[in-house]
Amino acid sequence: MTTTKDAASEHREDAVPTVPTTNEPTPANGVDLEEYRMNVPLWKRVWQHSLTQMFLLSVQSFCGPAISDAITGLGGGGLATPEVSNISNALRYALLAITCFLGAPIVNKLSVKWALVIGSMSWPIQGSAYYCNSKFGNQWYLILSGAIAGVGTGCWYVAEAGAIMTLAPSGARGKYLALWIVARNLGQLVGGAINLAKNNEKGVSGGISPDTYIAFVIIQCIAFPFAFMIAPFERVVRYDGSRILVSEALSTKMEIKRIAKTLSSKLIMLSGLWAFWSFFYTGTWTTYLGLYFSVRARALSSLISPFFCILGCFGLGFILDTKYLSQRRRAQVGLYTVIILNVGVYIWSIIMQTKFNRHNPGSIDWDDGLYASSFLPYFFVQTTGPLSQSYMYWLLSSFATDAQENVRNGAAFRGIEAVGQAVSYGINTKSQGNPLIGFCVTFALLGISVLPMIFLVNTTPDRIPADVIQEQQDIDHKKGADYV
Protein backbone atom coordinates (compact mmCIF):
# COMPACT_ATOMS: atom_id res chain seq x y z
CA MET A 1 0.00 0.00 0.00
CA THR A 2 1.35 3.38 -0.97
CA THR A 3 2.10 5.96 1.70
CA THR A 4 0.50 9.39 1.79
CA LYS A 5 3.64 10.92 0.31
CA ASP A 6 3.76 8.35 -2.48
CA ALA A 7 0.09 8.89 -3.28
CA ALA A 8 0.63 12.62 -3.45
CA SER A 9 3.61 12.24 -5.77
CA GLU A 10 1.74 9.85 -8.05
CA HIS A 11 -1.23 12.18 -8.19
CA ARG A 12 0.92 15.14 -9.26
CA GLU A 13 2.51 13.11 -12.02
CA ASP A 14 -0.80 11.84 -13.42
CA ALA A 15 -2.83 15.02 -13.52
CA VAL A 16 -2.56 18.73 -12.88
CA PRO A 17 -5.26 19.84 -10.40
CA THR A 18 -7.54 22.61 -11.48
CA VAL A 19 -7.89 25.95 -9.72
CA PRO A 20 -11.42 26.49 -8.35
CA THR A 21 -13.50 28.55 -10.77
CA THR A 22 -15.30 30.58 -8.12
CA ASN A 23 -14.51 34.22 -7.39
CA GLU A 24 -13.94 33.66 -3.68
CA PRO A 25 -10.37 34.05 -2.36
CA THR A 26 -8.30 30.93 -1.72
CA PRO A 27 -5.66 31.43 0.99
CA ALA A 28 -3.27 28.81 2.32
CA ASN A 29 -5.95 27.05 4.35
CA GLY A 30 -8.58 27.02 1.57
CA VAL A 31 -11.23 29.75 1.64
CA ASP A 32 -10.91 32.86 3.80
CA LEU A 33 -14.24 32.43 5.56
CA GLU A 34 -14.48 36.04 6.70
CA GLU A 35 -14.07 37.40 3.19
CA TYR A 36 -16.28 34.64 1.85
CA ARG A 37 -19.14 35.68 4.14
CA MET A 38 -18.71 39.34 3.19
CA ASN A 39 -18.55 38.86 -0.59
CA VAL A 40 -20.87 35.94 -1.30
CA PRO A 41 -24.69 36.09 -0.93
CA LEU A 42 -26.24 33.99 1.84
CA TRP A 43 -28.24 31.78 -0.54
CA LYS A 44 -25.09 30.90 -2.44
CA ARG A 45 -23.12 30.15 0.73
CA VAL A 46 -25.91 27.85 1.92
CA TRP A 47 -26.07 26.12 -1.48
CA GLN A 48 -22.30 25.66 -1.68
CA HIS A 49 -21.94 24.37 1.88
CA SER A 50 -20.85 20.74 2.06
CA LEU A 51 -23.56 19.91 4.61
CA THR A 52 -26.26 21.29 2.27
CA GLN A 53 -24.94 19.16 -0.56
CA MET A 54 -24.90 16.11 1.71
CA PHE A 55 -28.49 16.90 2.69
CA LEU A 56 -29.53 17.11 -0.98
CA LEU A 57 -27.93 13.72 -1.60
CA SER A 58 -29.62 12.32 1.49
CA VAL A 59 -33.05 13.50 0.27
CA GLN A 60 -32.44 11.65 -2.99
CA SER A 61 -31.33 8.56 -1.05
CA PHE A 62 -34.54 8.83 0.95
CA CYS A 63 -36.78 9.12 -2.10
CA GLY A 64 -34.98 6.67 -4.38
CA PRO A 65 -32.89 3.77 -3.05
CA ALA A 66 -34.56 3.83 0.38
CA ILE A 67 -38.08 3.52 -1.02
CA SER A 68 -36.84 0.86 -3.42
CA ASP A 69 -35.35 -1.00 -0.44
CA ALA A 70 -38.63 -0.50 1.44
CA ILE A 71 -40.48 -2.28 -1.38
CA THR A 72 -37.89 -5.06 -1.32
CA GLY A 73 -38.16 -5.21 2.47
CA LEU A 74 -41.85 -6.10 2.22
CA GLY A 75 -40.79 -9.66 1.42
CA GLY A 76 -40.82 -10.54 -2.29
CA GLY A 77 -41.57 -6.89 -3.06
CA GLY A 78 -44.90 -7.28 -1.23
CA LEU A 79 -46.23 -9.54 -3.98
CA ALA A 80 -48.27 -12.65 -3.28
CA THR A 81 -45.35 -14.81 -4.44
CA PRO A 82 -41.73 -13.63 -4.45
CA GLU A 83 -40.42 -15.54 -7.51
CA VAL A 84 -40.86 -12.80 -10.14
CA SER A 85 -39.67 -10.11 -7.73
CA ASN A 86 -36.49 -12.08 -7.05
CA ILE A 87 -35.90 -12.60 -10.79
CA SER A 88 -36.38 -8.87 -11.40
CA ASN A 89 -34.00 -8.00 -8.57
CA ALA A 90 -31.40 -10.51 -9.75
CA LEU A 91 -31.47 -8.91 -13.23
CA ARG A 92 -31.43 -5.44 -11.69
CA TYR A 93 -28.32 -6.06 -9.62
CA ALA A 94 -26.52 -7.88 -12.44
CA LEU A 95 -26.92 -4.85 -14.73
CA LEU A 96 -26.23 -2.52 -11.80
CA ALA A 97 -22.90 -4.29 -11.30
CA ILE A 98 -21.94 -3.91 -14.97
CA THR A 99 -22.93 -0.24 -14.94
CA CYS A 100 -20.96 0.40 -11.76
CA PHE A 101 -17.80 -1.17 -13.18
CA LEU A 102 -18.09 1.10 -16.24
CA GLY A 103 -19.58 3.98 -14.30
CA ALA A 104 -16.52 5.95 -13.24
CA PRO A 105 -15.61 7.10 -16.78
CA ILE A 106 -19.30 7.88 -17.42
CA VAL A 107 -19.75 9.88 -14.21
CA ASN A 108 -16.46 11.74 -14.55
CA LYS A 109 -17.50 12.71 -18.09
CA LEU A 110 -21.13 13.59 -17.36
CA SER A 111 -20.40 15.07 -13.91
CA VAL A 112 -21.89 13.86 -10.65
CA LYS A 113 -24.96 16.07 -11.05
CA TRP A 114 -26.09 14.69 -14.42
CA ALA A 115 -25.39 11.10 -13.41
CA LEU A 116 -27.70 11.67 -10.42
CA VAL A 117 -30.35 13.19 -12.69
CA ILE A 118 -30.28 10.17 -15.02
CA GLY A 119 -30.39 7.73 -12.14
CA SER A 120 -33.28 9.46 -10.38
CA MET A 121 -35.52 8.88 -13.41
CA SER A 122 -35.33 5.09 -13.10
CA TRP A 123 -36.90 4.60 -9.65
CA PRO A 124 -40.52 5.55 -10.49
CA ILE A 125 -40.35 3.03 -13.35
CA GLN A 126 -39.54 0.25 -10.91
CA GLY A 127 -42.25 1.32 -8.46
CA SER A 128 -44.87 1.51 -11.20
CA ALA A 129 -43.90 -1.99 -12.37
CA TYR A 130 -44.72 -3.41 -8.93
CA TYR A 131 -48.08 -1.65 -9.11
CA CYS A 132 -48.84 -3.08 -12.56
CA ASN A 133 -47.87 -6.56 -11.42
CA SER A 134 -50.00 -6.33 -8.29
CA LYS A 135 -53.00 -4.75 -10.07
CA PHE A 136 -52.93 -6.46 -13.49
CA GLY A 137 -50.55 -9.40 -13.09
CA ASN A 138 -48.12 -7.81 -15.58
CA GLN A 139 -44.88 -9.73 -15.04
CA TRP A 140 -42.88 -8.72 -18.13
CA TYR A 141 -42.91 -5.04 -17.10
CA LEU A 142 -41.60 -5.93 -13.65
CA ILE A 143 -38.68 -7.83 -15.18
CA LEU A 144 -38.01 -5.03 -17.72
CA SER A 145 -38.10 -2.44 -14.93
CA GLY A 146 -35.40 -4.43 -13.14
CA ALA A 147 -33.14 -3.98 -16.17
CA ILE A 148 -33.92 -0.25 -16.48
CA ALA A 149 -33.45 0.30 -12.76
CA GLY A 150 -30.15 -1.59 -12.86
CA VAL A 151 -28.62 0.77 -15.42
CA GLY A 152 -30.13 3.96 -13.98
CA THR A 153 -29.40 3.10 -10.37
CA GLY A 154 -25.86 2.09 -11.35
CA CYS A 155 -25.17 5.61 -12.68
CA TRP A 156 -26.72 7.13 -9.56
CA TYR A 157 -24.85 4.84 -7.15
CA VAL A 158 -21.44 5.62 -8.66
CA ALA A 159 -22.09 9.37 -8.48
CA GLU A 160 -23.48 9.08 -4.95
CA ALA A 161 -20.57 6.97 -3.70
CA GLY A 162 -18.03 9.48 -4.98
CA ALA A 163 -19.98 12.38 -3.46
CA ILE A 164 -20.53 10.94 0.01
CA MET A 165 -16.83 10.09 0.31
CA THR A 166 -15.75 13.52 -0.94
CA LEU A 167 -18.04 16.16 0.55
CA ALA A 168 -17.29 15.80 4.27
CA PRO A 169 -14.39 17.52 6.06
CA SER A 170 -11.87 14.99 7.35
CA GLY A 171 -13.01 15.46 10.96
CA ALA A 172 -16.70 14.89 10.27
CA ARG A 173 -16.80 12.07 7.73
CA GLY A 174 -18.39 9.60 10.17
CA LYS A 175 -21.26 11.95 11.03
CA TYR A 176 -21.85 12.93 7.38
CA LEU A 177 -22.02 9.26 6.40
CA ALA A 178 -24.37 8.61 9.33
CA LEU A 179 -26.68 11.34 7.98
CA TRP A 180 -26.72 9.59 4.62
CA ILE A 181 -27.38 6.17 6.19
CA VAL A 182 -30.18 7.59 8.34
CA ALA A 183 -31.82 9.10 5.23
CA ARG A 184 -31.67 5.68 3.57
CA ASN A 185 -33.41 4.12 6.56
CA LEU A 186 -35.95 6.91 7.05
CA GLY A 187 -37.16 6.10 3.57
CA GLN A 188 -37.84 2.55 4.67
CA LEU A 189 -39.53 3.86 7.82
CA VAL A 190 -41.89 6.09 5.83
CA GLY A 191 -42.48 3.30 3.35
CA GLY A 192 -43.29 0.97 6.20
CA ALA A 193 -45.76 3.50 7.68
CA ILE A 194 -47.56 3.79 4.33
CA ASN A 195 -47.61 0.05 3.95
CA LEU A 196 -48.90 -0.55 7.49
CA ALA A 197 -51.64 2.07 7.10
CA LYS A 198 -52.96 0.29 4.01
CA ASN A 199 -52.35 -3.31 5.09
CA ASN A 200 -53.31 -3.69 8.75
CA GLU A 201 -56.13 -6.21 8.62
CA LYS A 202 -55.50 -9.52 10.36
CA GLY A 203 -55.71 -12.73 8.41
CA VAL A 204 -55.00 -11.20 5.00
CA SER A 205 -52.76 -13.36 2.84
CA GLY A 206 -51.05 -12.77 -0.48
CA GLY A 207 -49.64 -9.44 -1.66
CA ILE A 208 -50.04 -5.94 -0.28
CA SER A 209 -52.62 -3.44 -1.51
CA PRO A 210 -51.89 -2.09 -5.04
CA ASP A 211 -52.57 1.44 -3.75
CA THR A 212 -49.48 1.11 -1.55
CA TYR A 213 -47.26 1.19 -4.63
CA ILE A 214 -48.86 4.45 -5.83
CA ALA A 215 -47.69 6.16 -2.64
CA PHE A 216 -44.21 4.73 -3.16
CA VAL A 217 -44.05 5.98 -6.77
CA ILE A 218 -45.04 9.52 -5.73
CA ILE A 219 -42.15 9.64 -3.24
CA GLN A 220 -39.72 8.18 -5.80
CA CYS A 221 -40.56 11.00 -8.22
CA ILE A 222 -39.45 13.63 -5.69
CA ALA A 223 -35.77 12.65 -6.09
CA PHE A 224 -35.65 14.06 -9.63
CA PRO A 225 -35.79 17.84 -8.86
CA PHE A 226 -33.31 17.50 -5.99
CA ALA A 227 -30.73 15.98 -8.35
CA PHE A 228 -30.67 19.29 -10.30
CA MET A 229 -29.61 21.16 -7.14
CA ILE A 230 -26.26 19.40 -6.76
CA ALA A 231 -23.28 21.78 -7.00
CA PRO A 232 -20.02 21.02 -8.85
CA PHE A 233 -17.35 19.73 -6.47
CA GLU A 234 -15.03 22.64 -7.18
CA ARG A 235 -17.63 25.11 -5.85
CA VAL A 236 -18.31 23.29 -2.58
CA VAL A 237 -16.98 24.92 0.61
CA ARG A 238 -16.69 22.91 3.82
CA TYR A 239 -17.41 24.38 7.25
CA ASP A 240 -13.67 24.65 8.00
CA GLY A 241 -13.02 26.59 4.78
CA SER A 242 -11.34 23.69 2.99
CA ARG A 243 -12.12 22.86 -0.60
CA ILE A 244 -12.45 19.60 -2.51
CA LEU A 245 -9.45 18.60 -4.61
CA VAL A 246 -10.63 18.17 -8.20
CA SER A 247 -8.26 17.20 -11.00
CA GLU A 248 -8.47 17.95 -14.70
CA ALA A 249 -10.87 15.83 -16.74
CA LEU A 250 -9.22 12.85 -18.40
CA SER A 251 -9.95 11.29 -21.77
CA THR A 252 -12.29 8.31 -21.91
CA LYS A 253 -9.35 6.03 -22.74
CA MET A 254 -7.41 7.28 -19.72
CA GLU A 255 -10.48 6.94 -17.47
CA ILE A 256 -10.89 3.32 -18.54
CA LYS A 257 -7.23 2.69 -17.75
CA ARG A 258 -7.69 4.31 -14.35
CA ILE A 259 -10.73 2.19 -13.46
CA ALA A 260 -8.83 -0.94 -14.55
CA LYS A 261 -5.96 0.15 -12.31
CA THR A 262 -8.43 0.77 -9.47
CA LEU A 263 -9.96 -2.69 -9.81
CA SER A 264 -6.51 -4.28 -9.53
CA SER A 265 -5.33 -2.01 -6.69
CA LYS A 266 -4.59 -3.36 -3.23
CA LEU A 267 -7.38 -1.20 -1.84
CA ILE A 268 -10.08 -2.92 -3.90
CA MET A 269 -8.47 -6.35 -3.88
CA LEU A 270 -8.41 -6.40 -0.08
CA SER A 271 -11.91 -4.92 0.33
CA GLY A 272 -13.52 -6.86 -2.53
CA LEU A 273 -14.79 -9.77 -0.44
CA TRP A 274 -16.22 -7.33 2.09
CA ALA A 275 -18.00 -5.48 -0.73
CA PHE A 276 -19.42 -8.76 -2.10
CA TRP A 277 -20.66 -9.70 1.38
CA SER A 278 -21.91 -6.28 2.54
CA PHE A 279 -25.38 -6.46 0.94
CA PHE A 280 -25.53 -10.20 0.27
CA TYR A 281 -28.00 -10.61 3.12
CA THR A 282 -30.81 -8.72 1.34
CA GLY A 283 -31.92 -11.55 -0.96
CA THR A 284 -32.15 -14.10 1.84
CA TRP A 285 -34.02 -11.81 4.23
CA THR A 286 -36.49 -10.85 1.47
CA THR A 287 -37.31 -14.53 1.00
CA TYR A 288 -37.42 -15.09 4.78
CA LEU A 289 -40.04 -12.37 5.27
CA GLY A 290 -42.10 -13.57 2.29
CA LEU A 291 -42.14 -17.17 3.52
CA TYR A 292 -42.85 -16.79 7.22
CA PHE A 293 -44.66 -13.49 7.87
CA SER A 294 -48.19 -12.24 7.22
CA VAL A 295 -48.79 -9.10 5.15
CA ARG A 296 -49.34 -6.83 8.14
CA ALA A 297 -46.41 -8.39 10.04
CA ARG A 298 -44.16 -7.60 7.08
CA ALA A 299 -45.57 -4.06 7.07
CA LEU A 300 -44.81 -3.60 10.77
CA SER A 301 -41.32 -5.06 10.28
CA SER A 302 -40.51 -2.58 7.52
CA LEU A 303 -41.73 0.28 9.75
CA ILE A 304 -39.82 -0.39 12.98
CA SER A 305 -36.61 -1.98 11.66
CA PRO A 306 -34.84 1.35 10.87
CA PHE A 307 -35.11 2.85 14.38
CA PHE A 308 -32.11 1.18 15.95
CA CYS A 309 -30.06 1.77 12.80
CA ILE A 310 -30.31 5.53 13.33
CA LEU A 311 -28.72 5.27 16.77
CA GLY A 312 -26.14 2.73 15.66
CA CYS A 313 -24.91 4.68 12.64
CA PHE A 314 -24.49 7.95 14.54
CA GLY A 315 -22.75 6.03 17.32
CA LEU A 316 -20.29 4.58 14.82
CA GLY A 317 -19.93 8.04 13.27
CA PHE A 318 -18.79 9.52 16.59
CA ILE A 319 -16.26 6.70 16.99
CA LEU A 320 -14.84 7.27 13.51
CA ASP A 321 -14.65 11.06 14.05
CA THR A 322 -13.13 11.07 17.53
CA LYS A 323 -10.08 13.32 17.81
CA TYR A 324 -8.48 11.30 20.60
CA LEU A 325 -7.44 8.41 18.36
CA SER A 326 -5.34 8.34 15.21
CA GLN A 327 -7.15 7.66 11.93
CA ARG A 328 -5.67 4.16 11.77
CA ARG A 329 -6.77 3.34 15.31
CA ARG A 330 -10.28 4.60 14.58
CA ALA A 331 -10.36 2.38 11.50
CA GLN A 332 -9.38 -0.63 13.61
CA VAL A 333 -11.94 0.05 16.35
CA GLY A 334 -14.67 0.59 13.76
CA LEU A 335 -13.87 -2.66 11.95
CA TYR A 336 -13.94 -4.84 15.06
CA THR A 337 -17.17 -3.20 16.24
CA VAL A 338 -18.91 -3.99 12.95
CA ILE A 339 -17.57 -7.57 12.81
CA ILE A 340 -18.64 -8.47 16.36
CA LEU A 341 -22.18 -7.14 15.85
CA ASN A 342 -22.59 -9.01 12.54
CA VAL A 343 -21.33 -12.30 13.97
CA GLY A 344 -23.96 -12.12 16.73
CA VAL A 345 -26.77 -11.46 14.26
CA TYR A 346 -25.84 -14.31 11.92
CA ILE A 347 -25.50 -16.88 14.68
CA TRP A 348 -29.00 -15.91 15.87
CA SER A 349 -30.35 -16.07 12.30
CA ILE A 350 -28.97 -19.55 11.66
CA ILE A 351 -30.37 -20.87 14.95
CA MET A 352 -33.80 -19.40 14.16
CA GLN A 353 -33.93 -20.81 10.63
CA THR A 354 -32.82 -24.23 11.84
CA LYS A 355 -35.87 -24.27 14.13
CA PHE A 356 -38.10 -23.27 11.20
CA ASN A 357 -36.70 -26.09 9.08
CA ARG A 358 -37.71 -28.57 11.78
CA HIS A 359 -41.16 -27.06 12.22
CA ASN A 360 -42.61 -24.64 9.67
CA PRO A 361 -44.33 -21.86 11.65
CA GLY A 362 -46.67 -20.94 8.80
CA SER A 363 -47.59 -17.27 8.44
CA ILE A 364 -46.44 -15.43 11.58
CA ASP A 365 -48.56 -12.43 12.62
CA TRP A 366 -47.50 -9.65 14.98
CA ASP A 367 -49.69 -10.92 17.81
CA ASP A 368 -48.18 -14.42 17.68
CA GLY A 369 -45.83 -15.42 20.48
CA LEU A 370 -43.19 -16.35 17.92
CA TYR A 371 -43.13 -12.90 16.29
CA ALA A 372 -40.54 -11.21 18.55
CA SER A 373 -37.86 -13.90 18.41
CA SER A 374 -38.28 -14.47 14.67
CA PHE A 375 -38.35 -10.76 13.81
CA LEU A 376 -35.48 -9.51 16.00
CA PRO A 377 -32.68 -11.00 13.83
CA TYR A 378 -34.14 -9.05 10.87
CA PHE A 379 -34.43 -5.97 13.07
CA PHE A 380 -30.73 -6.11 13.98
CA VAL A 381 -29.47 -6.99 10.49
CA GLN A 382 -31.14 -3.76 9.33
CA THR A 383 -28.61 -2.03 11.60
CA THR A 384 -25.48 -4.16 11.14
CA GLY A 385 -25.82 -4.11 7.34
CA PRO A 386 -25.88 -0.29 7.04
CA LEU A 387 -23.11 -0.04 9.66
CA SER A 388 -20.92 -2.21 7.43
CA GLN A 389 -21.67 0.09 4.48
CA SER A 390 -21.07 3.32 6.36
CA TYR A 391 -17.79 2.05 7.76
CA MET A 392 -16.51 0.89 4.39
CA TYR A 393 -17.14 4.21 2.66
CA TRP A 394 -15.39 6.00 5.50
CA LEU A 395 -12.41 3.67 5.10
CA LEU A 396 -12.24 4.02 1.30
CA SER A 397 -12.28 7.81 1.58
CA SER A 398 -9.27 7.61 3.92
CA PHE A 399 -7.10 6.51 0.97
CA ALA A 400 -8.31 8.92 -1.76
CA THR A 401 -6.00 11.38 -3.49
CA ASP A 402 -8.78 13.44 -5.17
CA ALA A 403 -12.53 13.53 -5.83
CA GLN A 404 -12.27 11.52 -9.04
CA GLU A 405 -10.49 8.71 -7.23
CA ASN A 406 -13.36 8.57 -4.75
CA VAL A 407 -15.70 8.11 -7.73
CA ARG A 408 -13.53 5.26 -9.08
CA ASN A 409 -13.18 3.56 -5.71
CA GLY A 410 -16.91 3.96 -5.08
CA ALA A 411 -17.72 2.57 -8.53
CA ALA A 412 -15.55 -0.50 -7.97
CA PHE A 413 -16.97 -1.12 -4.49
CA ARG A 414 -20.56 -0.62 -5.64
CA GLY A 415 -20.00 -2.91 -8.64
CA ILE A 416 -18.71 -5.77 -6.49
CA GLU A 417 -21.47 -5.13 -3.97
CA ALA A 418 -24.09 -5.37 -6.74
CA VAL A 419 -22.63 -8.68 -7.93
CA GLY A 420 -23.14 -9.99 -4.41
CA GLN A 421 -26.75 -8.82 -4.41
CA ALA A 422 -27.39 -10.36 -7.83
CA VAL A 423 -26.01 -13.71 -6.66
CA SER A 424 -28.02 -13.47 -3.44
CA TYR A 425 -31.31 -12.87 -5.25
CA GLY A 426 -30.40 -15.55 -7.77
CA ILE A 427 -30.01 -18.08 -4.94
CA ASN A 428 -33.44 -17.09 -3.63
CA THR A 429 -35.41 -17.05 -6.89
CA LYS A 430 -37.53 -19.99 -5.68
CA SER A 431 -39.96 -19.09 -2.92
CA GLN A 432 -39.60 -22.54 -1.40
CA GLY A 433 -35.83 -22.21 -1.24
CA ASN A 434 -34.25 -22.73 2.16
CA PRO A 435 -33.13 -19.41 3.71
CA LEU A 436 -30.71 -21.35 5.88
CA ILE A 437 -28.48 -21.78 2.83
CA GLY A 438 -28.40 -18.02 2.32
CA PHE A 439 -27.70 -17.33 5.99
CA CYS A 440 -24.81 -19.82 6.08
CA VAL A 441 -23.30 -18.52 2.82
CA THR A 442 -23.54 -14.93 4.09
CA PHE A 443 -21.90 -15.87 7.40
CA ALA A 444 -19.11 -17.71 5.55
CA LEU A 445 -18.50 -14.70 3.29
CA LEU A 446 -18.12 -12.50 6.37
CA GLY A 447 -15.60 -14.96 7.80
CA ILE A 448 -13.35 -15.06 4.73
CA SER A 449 -13.52 -11.27 4.24
CA VAL A 450 -12.24 -10.45 7.73
CA LEU A 451 -8.53 -11.24 7.26
CA PRO A 452 -8.04 -9.13 4.08
CA MET A 453 -9.88 -6.27 5.78
CA ILE A 454 -7.57 -6.44 8.80
CA PHE A 455 -4.57 -6.19 6.47
CA LEU A 456 -6.15 -3.19 4.71
CA VAL A 457 -7.13 -1.38 7.91
CA ASN A 458 -3.62 -1.75 9.31
CA THR A 459 -2.31 0.30 6.35
CA THR A 460 -4.74 3.21 6.82
CA PRO A 461 -2.81 6.50 6.41
CA ASP A 462 -2.70 8.94 9.30
CA ARG A 463 -4.17 11.65 7.08
CA ILE A 464 -6.27 11.61 3.92
CA PRO A 465 -3.85 12.00 0.95
CA ALA A 466 -6.25 14.40 -0.83
CA ASP A 467 -6.17 16.78 2.15
CA VAL A 468 -2.37 16.73 2.22
CA ILE A 469 -2.17 17.45 -1.51
CA GLN A 470 -4.78 20.25 -1.30
CA GLU A 471 -2.98 21.95 1.58
CA GLN A 472 0.34 21.84 -0.27
CA GLN A 473 -1.27 23.29 -3.40
CA ASP A 474 -2.85 26.11 -1.38
CA ILE A 475 0.52 26.90 0.22
CA ASP A 476 2.23 26.90 -3.17
CA HIS A 477 -0.55 29.09 -4.58
CA LYS A 478 -0.17 31.61 -1.75
CA LYS A 479 3.60 31.66 -2.11
CA GLY A 480 3.20 32.35 -5.82
CA ALA A 481 0.75 35.17 -5.11
CA ASP A 482 3.06 36.72 -2.52
CA TYR A 483 6.01 36.48 -4.94
CA VAL A 484 4.06 38.30 -7.64
Side-chain angles (χ1 to χ4, degrees), residues 76 80 88 109 120 138-139 142 212 224 295 320 330 384 389 418 420 433:
S88 176
K109 283 291 182 182
S120 65
N138 193 327
Q139 296 185 348
L142 181 60
T212 306
F224 183 69
V295 172
L320 296 177
R330 283 178 275 149
T384 59
Q389 291 278 304

Side-chain angles (χ1 to χ4, degrees), residues 380-401:
F380 287 119
V381 85
Q382 292 300 313
T383 296
T384 59
L387 280 179
S388 306
Q389 291 278 304
S390 180
Y391 171 77
M392 195 60 222
Y393 287 118
W394 179 90
L395 184 65
L396 288 176
S397 67
S398 300
F399 291 87
T401 57

Side-chain angles (χ1 to χ4, degrees), residues 44-59:
K44 190 173 183 180
R45 298 201 308 270
V46 172
W47 173 61
Q48 291 180 338
H49 199 286
S50 58
L51 185 58
T52 301
Q53 293 297 308
M54 196 68 168
F55 174 77
L56 294 174
L57 274 171
S58 297
V59 170

Side-chain angles (χ1 to χ4, degrees), residues 98-115:
I98 295 172
T99 305
C100 284
F101 286 131
L102 301 175
I106 297 173
V107 171
N108 285 333
K109 283 291 182 182
L110 289 177
S111 80
V112 166
K113 171 183 174 178
W114 289 108

